[in-house]
Coordinates of all heavy atoms in Angstrom, one line a residue:
M126 N -19.0 9.3 13.6 CA -18.5 9.1 12.3 C -17.8 10.4 11.8 O -18.3 11.5 12.1 CB -19.6 8.7 11.3 CG -19.2 8.5 9.9 SD -20.6 7.8 9.0 CE -19.7 7.4 7.5
I127 N -16.7 10.2 11.1 CA -15.9 11.4 10.7 C -16.5 11.8 9.3 O -16.6 11.0 8.4 CB -14.5 11.0 10.6 CG1 -13.9 10.7 11.9 CG2 -13.7 12.2 10.0 CD1 -12.5 10.2 11.9
D128 N -16.8 13.0 9.2 CA -17.3 13.6 7.9 C -16.1 14.1 7.1 O -15.4 15.0 7.5 CB -18.2 14.7 8.1 CG -18.9 15.2 6.8 OD1 -18.9 14.4 5.9 OD2 -19.3 16.3 6.8
Q129 N -15.8 13.4 6.0 CA -14.6 13.7 5.3 C -15.0 14.3 3.9 O -15.8 13.7 3.2 CB -13.7 12.5 5.1 CG -13.2 12.0 6.4 CD -12.3 10.7 6.2 OE1 -12.3 10.1 5.1 NE2 -11.5 10.4 7.2
H130 N -14.3 15.3 3.5 CA -14.5 15.9 2.2 C -13.1 16.0 1.5 O -12.1 16.3 2.1 CB -15.1 17.3 2.3 CG -16.4 17.3 2.9 ND1 -17.5 16.9 2.2 CD2 -16.9 17.6 4.1 CE1 -18.6 17.0 3.0 NE2 -18.2 17.4 4.2
A131 N -13.1 15.6 0.3 CA -11.9 15.6 -0.5 C -11.6 17.1 -0.8 O -12.5 17.8 -1.1 CB -12.0 14.8 -1.7
P132 N -10.3 17.4 -0.8 CA -10.0 18.8 -1.3 C -10.3 19.0 -2.8 O -10.4 18.0 -3.5 CB -8.4 18.9 -1.1 CG -8.0 17.6 -0.5 CD -9.1 16.7 -0.4
D133 N -10.5 20.2 -3.2 CA -10.9 20.4 -4.6 C -9.9 19.9 -5.6 O -10.2 19.6 -6.7 CB -11.1 21.9 -4.8 CG -12.4 22.4 -4.0 OD1 -13.2 21.5 -3.7 OD2 -12.4 23.6 -3.7
D134 N -8.6 19.9 -5.2 CA -7.6 19.5 -6.2 C -7.2 18.0 -6.1 O -6.2 17.6 -6.7 CB -6.3 20.4 -6.0 CG -5.8 20.3 -4.6 OD1 -6.5 19.8 -3.7 OD2 -4.6 20.7 -4.4
A135 N -8.0 17.3 -5.3 CA -7.7 15.8 -5.2 C -7.9 15.1 -6.5 O -8.8 15.4 -7.3 CB -8.6 15.2 -4.1
P136 N -7.0 14.2 -6.8 CA -7.2 13.4 -8.1 C -8.6 12.7 -8.0 O -8.9 12.0 -7.0 CB -6.1 12.4 -8.1 CG -5.0 13.0 -7.2 CD -5.8 13.8 -6.2
T137 N -9.3 12.8 -9.0 CA -10.7 12.2 -9.1 C -10.9 11.3 -10.2 O -10.4 11.6 -11.4 CB -11.7 13.4 -9.2 OG1 -11.5 14.3 -8.1 CG2 -13.1 12.8 -9.1
C138 N -11.5 10.1 -10.0 CA -11.7 9.2 -11.1 C -12.8 9.8 -12.0 O -13.8 10.2 -11.6 CB -12.2 7.9 -10.5 SG -12.6 6.6 -11.8
D139 N -12.5 9.8 -13.3 CA -13.4 10.3 -14.3 C -14.6 9.4 -14.6 O -15.5 9.8 -15.3 CB -12.7 10.7 -15.6 CG -11.9 9.6 -16.1 OD1 -11.8 8.5 -15.5 OD2 -11.3 9.7 -17.3
R140 N -14.5 8.1 -14.1 CA -15.6 7.2 -14.4 C -16.6 7.1 -13.3 O -17.8 7.0 -13.6 CB -15.0 5.8 -14.7 CG -14.1 5.8 -16.0 CD -13.6 4.4 -16.2 NE -12.9 4.4 -17.5 CZ -11.6 4.4 -17.6 NH1 -10.8 4.4 -16.5 NH2 -11.0 4.4 -18.8
C141 N -16.1 7.1 -12.0 CA -17.1 7.0 -10.9 C -17.1 8.2 -10.0 O -18.0 8.3 -9.2 CB -16.7 5.7 -10.1 SG -15.2 5.8 -9.3
G142 N -16.2 9.1 -10.2 CA -16.2 10.3 -9.4 C -15.6 10.3 -8.0 O -15.6 11.2 -7.3
D143 N -15.0 9.1 -7.6 CA -14.3 9.0 -6.3 C -13.0 9.8 -6.3 O -12.3 9.8 -7.3 CB -14.0 7.5 -6.0 CG -15.3 6.7 -5.7 OD1 -16.3 7.4 -5.5 OD2 -15.2 5.5 -5.6
A144 N -12.7 10.4 -5.2 CA -11.5 11.2 -5.0 C -10.5 10.4 -4.3 O -10.9 9.6 -3.4 CB -11.8 12.5 -4.3
F145 N -9.2 10.6 -4.6 CA -8.1 9.9 -3.9 C -7.1 10.8 -3.5 O -6.8 11.9 -4.1 CB -7.6 8.8 -4.9 CG -8.6 7.8 -5.3 CD1 -9.4 8.0 -6.4 CD2 -8.7 6.6 -4.5 CE1 -10.4 7.0 -6.7 CE2 -9.7 5.7 -4.8 CZ -10.5 5.9 -5.9
P146 N -6.3 10.5 -2.4 CA -5.3 11.4 -1.9 C -4.1 11.6 -2.8 O -3.5 12.6 -2.8 CB -4.9 10.8 -0.5 CG -5.7 9.6 -0.3 CD -6.6 9.3 -1.5
T147 N -3.8 10.5 -3.6 CA -2.6 10.6 -4.4 C -3.0 10.1 -5.8 O -3.9 9.3 -6.0 CB -1.5 9.8 -3.9 OG1 -1.8 8.4 -3.9 CG2 -1.1 10.2 -2.5
A148 N -2.2 10.5 -6.8 CA -2.4 10.0 -8.2 C -2.1 8.5 -8.3 O -2.8 7.8 -9.1 CB -1.5 10.8 -9.1
D149 N -1.2 8.0 -7.5 CA -0.9 6.5 -7.5 C -2.1 5.7 -7.0 O -2.4 4.7 -7.6 CB 0.3 6.2 -6.6 CG 1.6 6.5 -7.3 OD1 1.6 6.8 -8.5 OD2 2.7 6.5 -6.6
L150 N -2.8 6.2 -6.0 CA -4.0 5.5 -5.5 C -5.1 5.6 -6.5 O -5.8 4.6 -6.7 CB -4.4 6.1 -4.2 CG -3.5 5.8 -3.0 CD1 -4.0 6.5 -1.7 CD2 -3.3 4.3 -2.8
L151 N -5.2 6.7 -7.2 CA -6.2 6.8 -8.3 C -5.9 5.8 -9.4 O -6.8 5.1 -9.9 CB -6.2 8.2 -8.9 CG -7.1 8.4 -10.1 CD1 -8.6 8.0 -9.8 CD2 -7.0 9.8 -10.6
A152 N -4.6 5.6 -9.8 CA -4.2 4.7 -10.8 C -4.5 3.3 -10.4 O -5.0 2.5 -11.2 CB -2.7 4.9 -11.1
L153 N -4.2 3.0 -9.1 CA -4.5 1.6 -8.6 C -6.0 1.4 -8.6 O -6.5 0.3 -9.0 CB -4.0 1.4 -7.2 CG -2.5 1.3 -7.1 CD1 -2.1 1.4 -5.6 CD2 -2.0 0.0 -7.7
H154 N -6.8 2.4 -8.3 CA -8.3 2.2 -8.3 C -8.7 2.0 -9.7 O -9.5 1.0 -9.9 CB -8.9 3.5 -7.8 CG -10.3 3.7 -8.2 ND1 -11.3 3.0 -7.6 CD2 -10.9 4.5 -9.1 CE1 -12.5 3.3 -8.2 NE2 -12.3 4.2 -9.1
R155 N -8.2 2.7 -10.7 CA -8.7 2.5 -12.1 C -8.4 1.1 -12.5 O -9.2 0.5 -13.2 CB -8.0 3.5 -13.0 CG -8.6 4.9 -13.0 CD -7.9 5.8 -13.9 NE -8.5 7.1 -13.9 CZ -7.7 8.2 -14.1 NH1 -6.4 8.1 -14.2 NH2 -8.3 9.4 -14.1
G156 N -7.2 0.6 -12.2 CA -6.8 -0.7 -12.7 C -7.6 -1.8 -12.0 O -7.8 -2.8 -12.7
H157 N -8.0 -1.6 -10.8 CA -8.7 -2.7 -10.1 C -10.3 -2.6 -10.3 O -10.9 -3.6 -10.3 CB -8.4 -2.7 -8.6 CG -7.0 -3.2 -8.3 ND1 -6.6 -4.5 -8.5 CD2 -5.9 -2.5 -7.8 CE1 -5.4 -4.6 -8.2 NE2 -4.9 -3.5 -7.8
A158 N -10.8 -1.4 -10.4 CA -12.2 -1.2 -10.4 C -12.8 -1.0 -11.8 O -14.0 -1.2 -12.0 CB -12.6 0.0 -9.6
H159 N -12.0 -0.6 -12.8 CA -12.6 -0.3 -14.1 C -11.9 -1.1 -15.2 O -10.7 -1.4 -15.1 CB -12.4 1.2 -14.4 CG -13.1 2.1 -13.4 ND1 -14.5 2.1 -13.2 CD2 -12.6 2.9 -12.4 CE1 -14.8 2.9 -12.2 NE2 -13.7 3.4 -11.7
D160 N -12.6 -1.4 -16.2 CA -12.1 -2.1 -17.4 C -11.8 -1.1 -18.5 O -12.1 0.1 -18.4 CB -13.1 -3.1 -17.9 CG -13.3 -4.2 -16.9 OD1 -12.4 -4.5 -16.1 OD2 -14.4 -4.7 -16.9
A161 N -11.2 -1.5 -19.6 CA -10.9 -0.8 -20.8 C -10.1 0.5 -20.4 O -10.5 1.6 -20.7 CB -12.2 -0.4 -21.5
L162 N -8.9 0.3 -19.9 CA -8.0 1.4 -19.6 C -7.3 1.9 -20.8 O -7.0 1.1 -21.7 CB -7.0 1.0 -18.5 CG -7.6 0.6 -17.1 CD1 -6.4 0.2 -16.2 CD2 -8.4 1.7 -16.5
S163 N -7.0 3.2 -20.9 CA -6.2 3.6 -22.0 C -4.7 3.3 -21.8 O -4.4 2.7 -20.7 CB -6.3 5.2 -22.1 OG -5.6 5.8 -21.0
E164 N -3.9 3.5 -22.8 CA -2.5 3.1 -22.6 C -1.8 3.8 -21.5 O -1.1 3.2 -20.7 CB -1.7 3.4 -23.9 CG -1.9 2.4 -25.0 CD -1.3 1.0 -24.6 OE1 -0.2 1.0 -24.0 OE2 -1.9 0.0 -24.8
D165 N -2.1 5.1 -21.3 CA -1.5 5.9 -20.2 C -2.0 5.4 -18.9 O -1.2 5.3 -17.9 CB -1.8 7.4 -20.4 CG -1.1 8.0 -21.6 OD1 -0.1 7.4 -22.0 OD2 -1.5 9.1 -22.0
E166 N -3.3 5.1 -18.8 CA -3.9 4.7 -17.5 C -3.3 3.3 -17.2 O -3.0 3.0 -16.0 CB -5.4 4.6 -17.6 CG -6.1 5.9 -17.7 CD -7.5 5.8 -18.0 OE1 -8.0 4.8 -18.5 OE2 -8.3 6.8 -17.7
R167 N -3.1 2.4 -18.2 CA -2.6 1.1 -18.0 C -1.1 1.2 -17.5 O -0.7 0.5 -16.6 CB -2.6 0.3 -19.2 CG -1.9 -1.0 -19.2 CD -2.6 -2.1 -18.4 NE -4.0 -2.3 -18.7 CZ -4.8 -2.9 -17.9 NH1 -4.4 -3.5 -16.8 NH2 -6.1 -3.1 -18.3
A168 N -0.3 2.1 -18.1 CA 1.0 2.3 -17.7 C 1.1 2.9 -16.3 O 2.0 2.5 -15.5 CB 1.8 3.2 -18.7
A169 N 0.2 3.8 -16.0 CA 0.2 4.4 -14.6 C -0.1 3.3 -13.6 O 0.4 3.3 -12.5 CB -0.8 5.6 -14.5
F170 N -1.1 2.5 -14.0 CA -1.5 1.4 -13.0 C -0.4 0.4 -12.8 O -0.1 0.0 -11.7 CB -2.7 0.6 -13.6 CG -3.0 -0.6 -12.9 CD1 -3.5 -0.6 -11.6 CD2 -2.9 -1.9 -13.5 CE1 -3.8 -1.8 -10.9 CE2 -3.2 -3.0 -12.9 CZ -3.6 -3.0 -11.6
E171 N 0.3 0.0 -13.9 CA 1.5 -0.9 -13.7 C 2.6 -0.3 -12.9 O 3.1 -0.9 -12.0 CB 2.0 -1.3 -15.1 CG 1.1 -2.1 -15.9 CD 0.7 -3.4 -15.3 OE1 1.5 -4.0 -14.6 OE2 -0.3 -4.0 -15.6
A172 N 2.9 1.0 -13.1 CA 3.9 1.7 -12.3 C 3.5 1.8 -10.8 O 4.3 1.5 -9.9 CB 4.2 3.1 -12.8
A173 N 2.2 2.1 -10.6 CA 1.7 2.3 -9.2 C 1.7 0.9 -8.5 O 2.0 0.8 -7.3 CB 0.3 2.9 -9.2
R174 N 1.3 -0.2 -9.3 CA 1.3 -1.5 -8.7 C 2.7 -2.0 -8.4 O 3.0 -2.6 -7.3 CB 0.6 -2.5 -9.6 CG 0.4 -3.8 -9.0 CD -0.4 -4.7 -9.8 NE 0.2 -5.0 -11.1 CZ -0.3 -5.8 -12.0 NH1 -1.5 -6.4 -11.7 NH2 0.3 -6.1 -13.1
E175 N 3.7 -1.6 -9.2 CA 5.1 -2.0 -9.0 C 5.6 -1.3 -7.7 O 6.2 -2.0 -6.9 CB 5.9 -1.7 -10.2 CG 7.4 -2.0 -10.1 CD 7.6 -3.5 -10.4 OE1 6.7 -4.1 -11.0 OE2 8.6 -4.0 -9.9
A176 N 5.3 0.0 -7.6 CA 5.7 0.7 -6.4 C 5.1 0.2 -5.2 O 5.7 0.1 -4.1 CB 5.5 2.2 -6.6
D177 N 3.8 -0.1 -5.3 CA 3.1 -0.7 -4.1 C 3.6 -2.0 -3.7 O 3.8 -2.3 -2.5 CB 1.6 -0.8 -4.5 CG 0.7 -1.0 -3.3 OD1 0.9 -0.2 -2.3 OD2 -0.2 -1.8 -3.3
T178 N 3.9 -2.9 -4.7 CA 4.4 -4.2 -4.4 C 5.8 -4.1 -3.7 O 6.1 -4.8 -2.7 CB 4.6 -5.0 -5.7 OG1 3.3 -5.1 -6.3 CG2 5.2 -6.4 -5.4
E179 N 6.6 -3.2 -4.2 CA 8.0 -2.9 -3.6 C 7.8 -2.4 -2.2 O 8.5 -2.8 -1.2 CB 8.8 -2.0 -4.4 CG 10.2 -1.8 -4.0 CD 11.0 -3.1 -4.0 OE1 10.7 -4.0 -4.9 OE2 11.9 -3.3 -3.2
S180 N 6.9 -1.5 -1.9 CA 6.7 -1.0 -0.6 C 6.2 -2.0 0.3 O 6.6 -2.1 1.5 CB 5.6 0.2 -0.7 OG 5.3 0.6 0.6
L181 N 5.3 -2.9 -0.1 CA 4.8 -4.0 0.7 C 5.9 -5.0 1.0 O 6.0 -5.5 2.2 CB 3.6 -4.7 0.0 CG 2.9 -5.8 0.8 CD1 2.4 -5.2 2.1 CD2 1.8 -6.4 0.0
R182 N 6.8 -5.3 0.1 CA 7.9 -6.2 0.3 C 8.8 -5.6 1.3 O 9.3 -6.3 2.3 CB 8.7 -6.4 -1.0 CG 9.6 -7.6 -1.0 CD 10.2 -7.8 -2.4 NE 11.2 -6.9 -2.7 CZ 12.5 -7.0 -2.4 NH1 12.9 -8.0 -1.6 NH2 13.4 -6.1 -2.7
L183 N 9.1 -4.3 1.3 CA 10.0 -3.7 2.3 C 9.3 -3.7 3.7 O 10.0 -4.0 4.7 CB 10.2 -2.2 1.9 CG 11.1 -1.4 2.8 CD1 12.5 -2.0 2.9 CD2 11.2 0.0 2.4
F184 N 8.0 -3.5 3.7 CA 7.3 -3.6 5.0 C 7.4 -5.0 5.6 O 7.6 -5.2 6.8 CB 5.9 -3.2 4.8 CG 5.1 -3.4 6.1 CD1 5.2 -2.6 7.2 CD2 4.2 -4.5 6.2 CE1 4.5 -2.9 8.4 CE2 3.5 -4.8 7.3 CZ 3.6 -4.0 8.4
R185 N 7.2 -6.0 4.7 CA 7.3 -7.4 5.2 C 8.7 -7.7 5.8 O 8.9 -8.3 6.8 CB 7.0 -8.3 4.1 CG 5.5 -8.4 3.8 CD 5.3 -9.3 2.6 NE 3.8 -9.4 2.3 CZ 3.3 -9.8 1.2 NH1 4.2 -10.2 0.2 NH2 2.1 -9.8 1.0
L186 N 9.8 -7.2 5.1 CA 11.1 -7.4 5.6 C 11.3 -6.7 6.9 O 12.0 -7.3 7.8 CB 12.1 -6.9 4.5 CG 12.4 -7.9 3.3 CD1 13.3 -7.2 2.3 CD2 13.0 -9.2 3.8
Q187 N 10.9 -5.5 7.0 CA 11.0 -4.8 8.3 C 10.2 -5.5 9.4 O 10.7 -5.6 10.5 CB 10.5 -3.3 8.1 CG 11.5 -2.5 7.2 CD 10.9 -1.1 6.9 OE1 9.7 -0.9 7.0 NE2 11.8 -0.2 6.6
A188 N 9.0 -5.9 9.1 CA 8.2 -6.6 10.1 C 8.9 -7.9 10.6 O 9.0 -8.3 11.8 CB 6.8 -6.9 9.6
L189 N 9.5 -8.7 9.6 CA 10.2 -9.9 9.9 C 11.4 -9.6 10.8 O 11.7 -10.3 11.8 CB 10.6 -10.6 8.6 CG 11.4 -11.9 8.8 CD1 10.6 -12.9 9.6 CD2 11.9 -12.4 7.5
G190 N 12.2 -8.5 10.4 CA 13.3 -8.1 11.2 C 12.9 -7.8 12.6 O 13.6 -8.1 13.6
A191 N 11.8 -7.0 12.8 CA 11.4 -6.7 14.1 C 11.0 -7.9 14.9 O 11.3 -8.0 16.1 CB 10.2 -5.7 14.0
L192 N 10.3 -8.9 14.3 CA 9.9 -10.1 15.0 C 11.1 -10.9 15.4 O 11.2 -11.4 16.5 CB 9.0 -10.9 14.1 CG 7.6 -10.5 14.0 CD1 6.8 -11.3 13.0 CD2 6.9 -10.5 15.4
V193 N 12.2 -11.0 14.6 CA 13.4 -11.7 14.9 C 14.1 -11.1 16.1 O 14.5 -11.7 17.0 CB 14.3 -11.8 13.7 CG1 15.7 -12.3 14.1 CG2 13.7 -12.8 12.6
L194 N 14.2 -9.7 16.0 CA 14.8 -9.0 17.1 C 14.0 -9.2 18.4 O 14.6 -9.4 19.5 CB 14.9 -7.5 16.8 CG 16.0 -7.1 15.9 CD1 15.9 -5.6 15.6 CD2 17.4 -7.5 16.4
L195 N 12.7 -9.1 18.4 CA 11.9 -9.4 19.5 C 12.0 -10.8 20.1 O 12.2 -11.0 21.3 CB 10.4 -9.1 19.2 CG 9.4 -9.1 20.3 CD1 9.7 -7.9 21.3 CD2 8.0 -9.0 19.8
Y196 N 12.0 -11.7 19.2 CA 12.2 -13.1 19.6 C 13.5 -13.4 20.3 O 13.6 -13.9 21.4 CB 12.1 -14.1 18.4 CG 12.4 -15.5 18.7 CD1 11.5 -16.3 19.3 CD2 13.7 -16.0 18.4 CE1 11.8 -17.6 19.6 CE2 14.0 -17.3 18.7 CZ 13.0 -18.1 19.3 OH 13.3 -19.4 19.6
F197 N 14.6 -12.9 19.7 CA 15.9 -13.1 20.3 C 16.1 -12.2 21.6 O 16.8 -12.6 22.5 CB 17.1 -12.9 19.3 CG 17.2 -14.1 18.4 CD1 16.7 -14.1 17.1 CD2 17.8 -15.3 18.9 CE1 16.9 -15.2 16.3 CE2 17.8 -16.4 18.1 CZ 17.4 -16.4 16.8
G198 N 15.5 -11.1 21.6 CA 15.5 -10.3 22.8 C 14.9 -11.0 24.0 O 15.5 -11.0 25.1
F199 N 13.7 -11.5 23.8 CA 13.0 -12.3 24.8 C 13.8 -13.6 25.2 O 14.0 -13.9 26.3 CB 11.6 -12.7 24.4 CG 10.6 -11.6 24.7 CD1 9.8 -11.1 23.6 CD2 10.5 -11.0 25.9 CE1 8.9 -10.1 23.8 CE2 9.5 -10.0 26.1 CZ 8.8 -9.6 25.0
L200 N 14.4 -14.2 24.2 CA 15.2 -15.4 24.4 C 16.4 -15.1 25.3 O 16.8 -15.8 26.3 CB 15.7 -16.0 23.1 CG 16.5 -17.3 23.2 CD1 15.6 -18.4 23.8 CD2 17.0 -17.7 21.9
M201 N 17.1 -14.0 25.0 CA 18.3 -13.6 25.8 C 17.9 -13.1 27.2 O 18.5 -13.4 28.2 CB 19.1 -12.4 25.1 CG 19.8 -12.9 23.8 SD 21.0 -14.1 24.1 CE 20.3 -15.5 23.1
A202 N 16.8 -12.4 27.3 CA 16.3 -12.0 28.6 C 15.9 -13.2 29.4 O 16.2 -13.3 30.6 CB 15.1 -11.1 28.4
Y203 N 15.3 -14.2 28.8 CA 15.0 -15.5 29.5 C 16.2 -16.2 30.0 O 16.3 -16.7 31.1 CB 14.1 -16.4 28.6 CG 13.7 -17.7 29.3 CD1 12.8 -17.7 30.2 CD2 14.4 -18.8 28.9 CE1 12.4 -18.9 30.8 CE2 14.1 -20.1 29.4 CZ 13.1 -20.1 30.4 OH 12.7 -21.3 30.9
A204 N 17.2 -16.2 29.1 CA 18.5 -16.9 29.4 C 19.2 -16.2 30.6 O 19.8 -16.8 31.4 CB 19.4 -17.0 28.2
V205 N 19.2 -14.9 30.6 CA 19.9 -14.1 31.7 C 19.1 -14.2 33.0 O 19.7 -14.4 34.1 CB 20.0 -12.6 31.3 CG1 20.4 -11.8 32.4 CG2 21.0 -12.5 30.1
V206 N 17.8 -14.2 32.9 CA 17.0 -14.1 34.2 C 16.9 -15.5 34.8 O 17.0 -15.6 36.1 CB 15.5 -13.6 33.9 CG1 14.6 -13.8 35.1 CG2 15.6 -12.2 33.4
T207 N 16.9 -16.6 34.0 CA 16.7 -17.9 34.7 C 18.1 -18.6 34.9 O 19.1 -18.3 34.5 CB 15.9 -18.8 33.8 OG1 16.5 -18.9 32.5 CG2 14.5 -18.3 33.7
Ligands
ZN180 ZN1 -13.5 4.9 -10.5

């Protein structure tokens, strides 16, 4: 098991004390794990969720592109070999 310690300057949740590598991950944690967010925390959560959603959408498009290329690559290889 890896023993991990957060750096002293890591963003830390003021409600549960968990540390996160980035402020966006802290904002996502607050939005999903805690209730009664302040206006600033709610805005940070919405912005982080929007960025996360966009990043996931881009990853899905890249994965789909890779699968299409792989499929047609194998199809062309099969057509040439046989
Ligand atoms: Zn927390």
Side-chain angles (χ1 to χ4, degrees):
M126 182 171 188
I127 298 173
D128 187 23
Q129 296 180 342
H130 296 282
D133 292 338
D134 60 344
T137 305
C138 180
D139 54 352
R140 293 184 177 100
C141 65
D143 288 348
F145 296 88
T147 65
D149 281 350
L150 290 177
L151 173 60
L153 287 172
H154 161 76
R155 280 183 181 142
H157 288 293
H159 301 294
D160 296 329
L162 300 179
S163 70
E164 278 296 316
D165 290 343
E166 290 171 340
R167 173 71 53 196
F170 170 66
E171 294 296 333
R174 187 169 65 176
E175 183 78 23
D177 194 48
T178 301
E179 186 62 31
S180 172
L181 185 59
R182 193 173 77 84
L183 179 62
F184 171 75
R185 286 177 178 161
L186 282 174
Q187 290 172 337
L189 178 63
L192 283 174
V193 168
L194 285 175
L195 189 66
Y196 172 79
F197 282 105
F199 278 123
L200 183 66
M201 291 299 120
Y203 178 75
V205 168
V206 170
T207 57

